[in-house]
Amino acid sequence: MVKKHVQSILNVGTDVVMDFPANTLSLRKWLLGIASEAHASHQLIYLNLSDEQCLRHIAQRRIEQPERAAFDTEEVFTQVTKFFEAPEASEGLNIVEFRGEE
């Protein structure tokens, strides 16, 4: 359902920003397929941060957005990052990489 809706928007020439996790090769393949089938250009924004940097951001977010505190935890971060696969150019993606500074 999401795929067809996004492709319809792309087909009329409107840009779409998808805030979807693309943590694994299979998820990125699905997102790339949406753009490819609609003959649309794409970018994958890759935040190349260390675990320590991510945990600092999560801690700050818990302060700024206390309603997220139950989900934004080190335990959830650790569980989710077990499945992370860094994107690679060989996947055919237009990767825009941002590196964090320590």
Side-chain angles (χ1 to χ4, degrees):
M1 182 178 258
V2 170
K3 178 180 175 179
K4 295 234 182 268
H5 180 66
V6 169
Q7 288 175 329
S8 294
I9 295 169
L10 290 170
N11 286 330
V12 297
T14 302
D15 292 339
V16 176
V17 176
M18 296 182 67
D19 187 10
F20 275 71
N23 302 356
T24 65
L25 176 60
S26 63
L27 287 170
R28 290 190 296 273
K29 195 173 189 177
W30 176 75
L31 289 167
L32 181 58
I34 291 173
S36 297
E37 289 174 21
H39 306 288
S41 62
H42 71 277
Q43 288 183 331
L44 173 77
I45 306 300
Y46 172 37
L47 304 177
N48 190 352
L49 306 174
S50 69
D51 287 356
E52 293 77 22
Q53 290 170 305
C54 291
L55 290 169
R56 282 195 302 270
H57 286 281
I58 289 170
Q60 185 64 36
R61 195 165 49 227
R62 280 197 311 269
I63 294 167
E64 295 170 357
Q65 300 173 35
E67 66 277 8
R68 295 180 58 147
F71 182 77
D72 282 349
T73 66
E74 186 170 344
E75 293 77 18
V76 170
F77 173 79
T78 300
Q79 184 64 29
V80 169
T81 56
K82 286 181 189 178
F83 303 99
F84 179 73
E85 300 169 317
E88 298 182 9
S90 62
E91 295 176 48
L93 299 163
N94 297 318
I95 301 170
V96 178
E97 182 175 353
F98 292 94
R99 290 190 168 271
E101 295 182 25
E102 288 293 325

